[in-house]
Amino acid sequence: EPETSLNIQGCTSEGDLLFAQKCKELQGFIRPLTDLLNRLKMGRFDRGLSSFQQSVAMDRLQRIVGVLKNPQMGERYLGTLLQVEGMLKTWFPHIAVRKSALGTNRHQLTK
């Protein structure tokens, strides 16, 4: 399956590989995040959010999508990515997380 294969070039440590795998697992969230970002840009949330809040939300969403699209960023962002994962699962409980090659042991390795 070419879609689920990882590009591990540049993964110099186990942490880098874990980060890349976690990004791959969470790529299913890119589309709903992008949809949310587009709705923010179109002003769909003008009543509920101030312009500053909208600006911050758009910045954060763009950053999250950017990280998920760049699994080669490395292990120094692994802790943050794990926190983002919890948030994404809360925001989008209907989105299934892709299973990684490490299976259930990946959480033991990152704790």
Side-chain angles (χ1 to χ4, degrees), residues 40 42-50 54:
L40 274 164
M42 291 188 308
R44 289 275 180 90
F45 301 103
D46 283 349
R47 281 195 198 157
L49 301 173
S50 70
Q54 289 178 41

